[in-house]
Amino acid sequence: MNACSTAPTLSTETDKQIDRVIEEYKDEPSPLLEILNEVQHIFGYLSDDMLIAISEKLSIPTSQVYGVATFYSLLSTRPKGKHIIRVCESAPCHVMGSESVLRAVKDELGIDLGETTPDGLFTLESTSCLGICSVGPAMMVNDRVFGNLTREKVRLILRRYAKDKEASVS
Amino acid sequence: MAAVQLKPEQEVAMATLTIDGHSVTVPEGTTVLEAAKKVGITIPTLCHHPDLPPQGICRLCVVEVEGSFLLQTACTYPVKDGMKVRTNSPLVRESRRTTVELMLARGDHNCPTCPRNQNCELQTVAESLGIREIPFQVLRHPRPKDMSSASIVRDPEKCILCRRCVAVCQEVQGVGILFPVGRGFATEITTPLDRNLSEVACVNCGQCVLVCPVGAIYEKDDTNRVWEALADPSKVVIVQTAPAVRVSIGEELGLPPGSITTGKLVSALREMGFDKVFDTDFTADLTIIEEGHELLQRMKTGGTLPMLTSCSPGWIKFIEHYYPELLDHVSTCKSPQQMFGALAKTYYAQKAGIDPKDIYSVSVMPCTAKKFECTREEMCGESGPDVDVVLTTRELGRMIRQMGLDFANLPESDYDDPFGISTGAGVIFGATGGVMEAALRTVYEVVTGKTLPSIDFHPVRGLEAIKEADVDLDGVKVKVAVAHGLSNAKVLLEQIKRGESDYHFIEIMCCPGGCIGGGGQPIPTTMETRAKRIRATYEADRSLPLRKSHENPAIKKLYSEFLKEPLGEKSHELLHTTYRRRPLFQQRI
Ligand code: SF4
Ligand code: SF4
Ligand code: SF4
Ligand code: FES
């Protein structure tokens, strides 16, 4: 869509970065997805203003850009926390008690699935099988996997991440 | 002349197939759905709509095709020679039933309180499949209704994700407001960034309402406001009826499409208790006088051309959002509804000796966008809004049903003075090309001083996407074009933007077919019903003694008593307006 839009609320720096991404991907077979992916990579998520800017620059209705951004689970329209927790929701983990693991995370952080803590430290998500069913229930924090979880273990792990803001948990 | 490009006759390969044992021969490429219709078999559909491209989403139309392992969707499956199709096997019935049961198990389908009760495609198929219980757990997906818009309500809990609204908004209207977001069970159809409808650049055309098979999008219901006003003895409640309502209200009340029910409509409104029943056709005639003179003035003084018509509020909101740089092209004339509103609370109030504050002005329109139009700041006079409330044809139908009136057998009666006399030119405003034809009938005679040899301008009539004509006004050539549906309008707007438009005057109607196909019209409104309403419109025009706006004696009187002259001071104050640039997103505070 062309013509006038809301007063630009993106910083010129962000706007320029988006222009660069568009320039790079505009001739790809499905440029919209590539562009959204790259912009998300740079900024961590896709804000409303970014989606509006991308839609205007590509002359694609914002409704469609938003539809694509919400369809793919690797794209996010909400800012994510520094640490992303993914609790396995597949059947073997379920049998082993992933429900109570999930509840432990929720209780500890005070957030629901899909939400981020107010301090921006944690985002809670669920995931399909992590491939380590033998040690279920399991969860991932960023790219580390934790198995044989109990409520107590969950609490310990999360407190360690919360303390070490640089995230170099070993 | 209209640019119809007929393809040369081509040899079309034919295919002979059997459907439920009946043999049928159709051109190759025909869908199973259409072929079945030929032998009198109706395959149930939901995502399919006769005027939209086939989608194959809902899987209600499945059939068995011999040799094919999976059930196929009849709405998309092309026939082949020798094919054998079964449309009603136990497997097919079971599959269809499950499809519908799953739809009923998602969201809230409490029919008696639904605006589409008794006119719902989901309800109809559930009935025909004999569904008596839902074997699945009903999963609610609680989402509030979006009541933010002055015109349209969205109720996502009734949505069956058929995506017809997505197609009509994007393809037919070129607006693209509605789109699926999320996936799996969480999929829903919503607006850009999931904003309220009033905060995005929806033009309120209501075409999504017309194609929605269920009660998930509908008009904002204002019938209670009207009942209240009618019950208030301190109010003089007046009503105006748009040109397109007389040829469509019958459909709401059991009559076939294309019935002309002008006199019955007037009687019904009197029965309901309106103090005066007036005709918007009168101000349609007035629009022609003002707009015709505006065109001539622009042509004489080198004003911005082409001039674009301004009667269609969905179209106006569209250009304000999407092409604001072209707003100078738009005629400054208010729409007939708003001209009527302005005159009712000034000229009429004076003449009848009523305090304008006591007048409650109701308008019956084929249009959802008119509900928004009457709330625009520019459409308010000293004593509040010029038009207090707009009812769509559907809402009026509902009120007449509530009254228990036997509409088909009501006597015919006439509109009240002074806004009751109108001409055929006013009537044809309801059909695409009608405003143009009405304007040409008047402009020709004003410019040439001669009587038109034939007043029927056939090149601007009909459902073709874009129509054009050249008219010779005693040596002055006027080139005109007509577009209906905003995607078609876009083609002409892009021409203007590129500086390639050599038209003088362009009529644009937001809705396909013009107002007779408006978003407030009876459901179903398809291209087929549109064609019938258009036929009725020109029939009504032919039957009237006066067919040119400038011959309307009440208009002449209005000018001599009140307005003085076209484009005069009073006209500017009451009958003309201004437009504004609108953002694509309303800033949130
Ligand atoms: S949408 Fe149809 S099935 Fe659902 S409640 Fe309304 S009438 Fe009933
Ligand atoms: S009213 Fe018109 S513009 Fe608005 S969502 Fe429906 S089809 Fe789109
Ligand atoms: S709102 Fe209506 S037309 Fe749109 S997808 Fe839902 S059911 Fe279909
Ligand atoms: S009607 Fe054929 S798939 Fe929906």
Side-chain angles (χ1 to χ4, degrees):
Chain A
M1 295 284 104
N2 45 8
C4 65
S5 64
T6 21
T9 36
L10 286 182
S11 71
T12 23
E13 187 44 39
T14 308
D15 200 64
K16 269 198 211 129
Q17 262 172 301
I18 292 178
D19 279 340
R20 270 199 295 276
V21 174
I22 289 177
E23 194 48 43
E24 191 179 340
Y25 291 96
K26 70 177 185 333
D27 300 321
E28 298 282 316
S30 53
L32 178 58
L33 189 54
E34 303 274 0
I35 289 164
L36 290 175
N37 200 11
E38 186 58 26
V39 172
Q40 152 121 356
H41 186 76
I42 299 173
F43 299 100
Y45 80 114
L46 298 160
S47 73
D48 283 2
D49 290 327
M50 292 176 203
L51 293 174
I52 293 174
I54 292 168
S55 118
E56 278 174 8
K57 290 174 201 287
L58 297 178
S59 295
I60 300 175
T62 316
S63 55
Q64 206 167 319
V65 174
Y66 183 63
V68 173
T70 54
F71 184 82
Y72 293 97
S73 57
L74 71 152
L75 299 176
S76 173
T77 54
R78 274 190 269 174
K80 287 201 181 184
K82 190 172 184 99
H83 306 302
I84 308 210
I85 305 162
R86 295 186 176 90
V87 178
C88 180
E89 58 168 11
S90 60
C93 279
H94 188 87
V95 173
M96 298 305 290
S98 59
E99 284 281 335
S100 96
V101 167
L102 188 60
R103 204 158 327 114
V105 180
K106 286 182 182 175
D107 290 348
E108 180 68 21
L109 301 178
I111 53 172
D112 224 323
L113 274 176
E115 292 180 353
T116 299
T117 52
D119 60 6
L121 217 45
F122 292 102
T123 296
L124 174 57
E125 292 176 353
S126 62
T127 173
S128 43
C129 189
L130 296 172
I132 47 160
C133 312
S134 53
V135 295
M139 71 176 188
M140 276 178 92
V141 181
N142 305 331
D143 35 24
R144 276 199 64 182
V145 183
F146 298 88
N148 288 325
L149 291 171
T150 59
R151 289 185 70 91
E152 199 40 45
K153 254 174 110 174
V154 166
R155 240 172 264 142
L156 280 172
I157 295 167
L158 293 182
R159 284 183 192 165
R160 254 158 63 201
Y161 275 96
K163 224 186 284 159
D164 186 354
K165 307 219 167 180
E166 293 314 305
S168 54
V169 178
S170 51
Chain B
M1 281 303 287
V4 208
Q5 293 280 309
L6 280 179
K7 283 198 204 100
E9 278 302 319
Q10 279 172 355
E11 282 285 314
V12 186
M14 302 298 279
T16 301
L17 64 156
T18 62
I19 303 179
D20 297 340
H22 304 276
S23 172
V24 57
T25 304
V26 289
E28 243 173 40
T30 307
T31 62
V32 170
L33 180 69
E34 289 164 46
K37 219 174 273 162
K38 286 246 158 81
V39 284
I41 296 169
T42 309
I43 297 171
T45 54
L46 271 175
C47 68
H48 181 75
H49 185 279
D51 305 332
L52 297 171
Q55 314 189 82
I57 291 174
C58 73
R59 295 197 60 82
L60 180 68
C61 64
V62 288
V63 293
E64 271 190 79
V65 177
E66 207 175 270
S68 163
F69 172 64
L70 295 170
L71 293 178
Q72 299 293 347
T73 49
C75 69
T76 55
Y77 205 73
V79 299
K80 279 199 200 71
D81 199 50
M83 200 167 175
K84 287 199 173 63
V85 177
R86 293 177 72 196
T87 75
N88 220 336
S89 65
L91 187 63
V92 163
R93 275 200 301 276
E94 188 48 41
S95 165
R96 288 185 188 157
R97 195 170 302 143
T98 309
T99 299
V100 172
E101 285 163 355
L102 282 168
M103 286 177 180
L104 291 170
R106 185 186 191 273
D108 162 33
H109 291 285
N110 183 8
C111 299
T113 56
C114 178
R116 290 292 293 275
N117 188 24
Q118 302 192 19
N119 186 13
C120 166
E121 295 180 40
L122 178 58
Q123 203 181 44
T124 306
V125 294
E127 194 283 327
S128 67
L129 291 170
I131 290 173
R132 291 293 175 267
E133 59 187 341
I134 300 162
F136 305 103
Q137 189 196 346
V138 175
L139 286 173
R140 294 286 299 269
H141 183 52
R143 282 271 283 159
K145 288 183 196 171
D146 180 351
M147 308 274 284
S148 65
S149 157
S151 301
I152 312 279
V153 179
R154 291 182 54 242
D155 182 356
E157 286 221 69
K158 300 218 190 291
C159 175
I160 56 168
L161 305 175
C162 73
R163 304 187 183 196
R164 288 181 184 180
C165 57
V166 175
V168 89
C169 190
Q170 172 72 36
E171 309 301 329
V172 178
Q173 296 300 57
V175 174
I177 286 298
L178 299 169
F179 206 76
V181 307
R183 63 181 160 155
F185 183 72
T187 306
E188 56 180 303
I189 306 297
T190 188
T191 55
L193 309 177
D194 206 13
R195 296 283 173 87
N196 285 330
L197 210 48
S198 64
E199 294 172 4
V200 296
C202 159
V203 305
N204 300 319
C205 68
Q207 291 303 308
C208 49
V209 174
L210 294 181
V211 298
C212 183
V214 295
I217 314 186
Y218 50 94
E219 71 285 349
K220 179 163 160 276
D221 187 305
D222 287 308
T223 56
N224 276 337
R225 290 173 60 199
V226 176
W227 286 128
E228 268 167 36
L230 286 169
D232 182 345
S234 70
K235 283 193 174 127
V236 178
V237 188
I238 62 170
V239 62
Q240 56 169 318
T241 65
V245 176
R246 69 208 64 204
V247 295
S248 61
I249 182 75
E251 292 167 48
E252 277 293 314
L253 300 153
L255 295 172
S259 308
I260 307 172
T261 55
T262 320
K264 294 182 195 304
L265 171 63
V266 176
S267 298
L269 292 163
R270 286 227 173 83
E271 288 286 331
M272 289 168 70
F274 286 98
D275 295 302
K276 291 286 172 193
V277 183
F278 294 130
D279 197 353
T280 316
D281 287 18
F282 171 80
T283 38
D285 278 336
L286 181 60
T287 303
I288 288 303
I289 306 295
E290 291 288 325
E291 200 163 75
H293 280 90
E294 185 185 350
L295 175 66
L296 293 174
Q297 196 186 51
R298 285 185 189 226
M299 287 174 63
K300 239 184 269 160
T301 62
T304 310
L305 290 173
M307 183 172 89
L308 305 171
T309 57
S310 56
C311 331
S312 166
W315 144 243
I316 293 299
K317 194 159 184 271
F318 177 80
I319 188 170
E320 289 181 323
H321 281 298
Y322 299 102
Y323 291 87
E325 67 277 24
L326 299 183
L327 277 171
D328 280 347
H329 289 268
V330 182
S331 159
T332 58
C333 287
K334 287 183 184 171
S335 70
Q337 160 174 294
Q338 294 304 147
M339 286 200 182
F340 179 98
L343 289 177
K345 293 194 180 179
T346 53
Y347 174 67
Y348 171 69
Q350 242 172 55
K351 229 174 137 76
I354 310 168
D355 182 346
K357 289 195 179 60
D358 293 336
I359 295 181
Y360 194 80
S361 183
V362 178
S363 128
V364 184
M365 294 284 141
C367 177
T368 43
K370 292 271 172 200
K371 285 177 183 279
F372 170 79
E373 182 185 36
C374 81
T375 66
R376 292 176 65 118
E377 266 167 49
E378 305 85 15
M379 303 303 164
C380 286
E382 279 159 24
S383 36
D386 290 339
V387 171
D388 290 280
V389 63
V390 174
L391 295 174
T392 58
T393 313
R394 288 191 296 273
E395 289 164 276
L396 180 63
R398 210 171 291 148
M399 292 179 82
I400 294 175
R401 290 197 295 273
Q402 261 178 59
M403 288 281 294
L405 294 177
D406 178 5
F407 187 78
N409 292 313
L410 284 177
E412 314 259 322
S413 47
D414 290 328
Y415 286 102
D416 287 307
D417 285 337
F419 302 145
I421 301 175
S422 59
T423 71
V427 173
I428 59 174
F429 259 61
T432 165
V435 175
M436 181 56 71
E437 179 165 349
L440 292 177
R441 289 179 188 174
T442 287
V443 168
Y444 180 92
E445 300 203 349
V446 169
V447 171
T448 65
K450 294 182 197 158
T451 308
L452 267 171
S454 156
I455 67 168
D456 294 333
F457 287 85
H458 288 284
V460 296
R461 295 185 183 182
L463 284 168
E464 205 187 314
I466 294 173
K467 297 164 278 186
E468 352 171 57
D470 288 321
V471 186
D472 189 344
L473 305 177
D474 245 2
V476 184
K477 284 246 186 299
V478 177
K479 215 168 151 355
V480 303
V482 172
H484 56 121
L486 295 172
S487 285
N488 296 331
K490 264 184 169 176
V491 174
L492 295 177
L493 294 174
E494 289 295 333
Q495 261 176 26
I496 300 178
K497 253 172 94 165
R498 290 194 305 268
E500 289 165 9
S501 181
D502 60 352
Y503 300 112
H504 297 93
F505 190 25
I506 297 177
E507 175 202 297
I508 293 178
M509 289 293 154
C510 174
C511 293
C515 308
I516 51 89
Q521 289 286 60
I523 296 173
T525 288
T526 59
M527 281 307 170
E528 197 186 322
T529 46
R530 285 180 166 103
K532 289 181 181 157
R533 293 176 196 153
I534 289 177
R535 219 172 301 137
T537 298
Y538 289 107
E539 199 181 311
D541 166 35
R542 267 196 312 278
S543 72
L544 285 171
L546 297 174
R547 297 179 62 195
K548 302 170 198 159
S549 300
H550 56 284
E551 289 178 352
N552 183 335
I555 293 281
K556 290 182 190 163
K557 196 160 166 208
L558 172 69
Y559 276 107
S560 70
E561 281 184 9
F562 187 68
L563 293 172
K564 303 304 171 210
E565 52 169 352
L567 308 181
E569 198 184 315
K570 263 254 156 3
S571 290
H572 267 289
E573 179 195 329
L574 295 172
L575 309 180
H576 291 258
T577 187
T578 54
Y579 310 104
R580 64 173 97 156
R581 192 175 264 270
R582 285 177 196 273
L584 295 180
F585 288 92
Q586 207 74 250
Q587 202 81 275
R588 284 201 159 160
I589 313 144

